[in-house]
Amino acid sequence: GGKGLVLKELEVAMLEGRADLAVHSLKDMPVELDPGFALAAVLPRADAADAFVSFHHASLQALPQGARVGTSSLRRQALLRSLRPDLQINDLRGNVITRLAKLEEGQYDAIILACAGLERLELGHHIRQRLHAPDWLPAPGQAAIGIEALSAADDVLACLAALDDAPTRRQVSAERAMNLALGGSCSVPVGAWCEQIDADQLVLSGLVGDIAGGQLIQVRQHGEVAQPEALGRAVAEQLLAQGAAAFLG
């Protein structure tokens, strides 16, 4: 069941009245929630970069030829193959503590994690290099916290509205709309990063990667602040027009 099972258990708890809300890492939430549920609040985004973590090497570029890098993310695999096709990319599972322990045991020369996750666990000292846009795009919604509630729970929604961060919601709405138009899964090699560049404009960068060959299809487009979902769909259309469907499984 993995991430989907955990989310479903929390939704059942809300339906049964055992919980009023559920707190999620937004990048792990489905881009379309089940009927009866709402994304009630999006908290201010933390550092959305990925983290290069190694006990012996200072950066991705400093890794020796053929070094072993651990990640379970298809997006990260595609980006690694694009930037360093010589690397051995091996699957990496478990929570953050388990992954760091495997690195320390020597199973990997480096691993890729999320900066926000490390920093929230007060493990930010393990970050050797921040991998960030424009050369390295995060997952849609990465580093944002989403709070889910029943769409009919007006009192809960009213309370949570005070926590909603409008700039973050706009940005992740564009990213999630792009992901939805590409198929809507968090298990595909898709990256997205949206920024508000002035009072009226957003800019969204999106990519779809090939985990086998390391080819990346990338698009960057401006859009209106008031229409983040339309911007996300437009970027997805451009990615698909350039052949992205071949990499989406």
Side-chain angles (χ1 to χ4, degrees), residues 215-220 236-245 247:
Q215 180 182 348
L216 301 179
I217 298 175
Q218 301 187 67
V219 168
R220 178 178 169 88
E237 289 173 4
Q238 289 193 46
L239 289 165
L240 292 170
Q242 294 181 34
F247 302 150

Side-chain angles (χ1 to χ4, degrees), residues 1-9:
K3 297 172 184 175
L5 179 61
V6 173
L7 184 137
K8 184 58 63 178
E9 288 179 345

Side-chain angles (χ1 to χ4, degrees), residues 2 5 15 40 42 72 75 79 145 153-154 166 183:
L5 179 61
L15 288 171
V42 179
S72 58
R75 172 186 58 86
L79 285 161
I145 297 294
D154 293 337

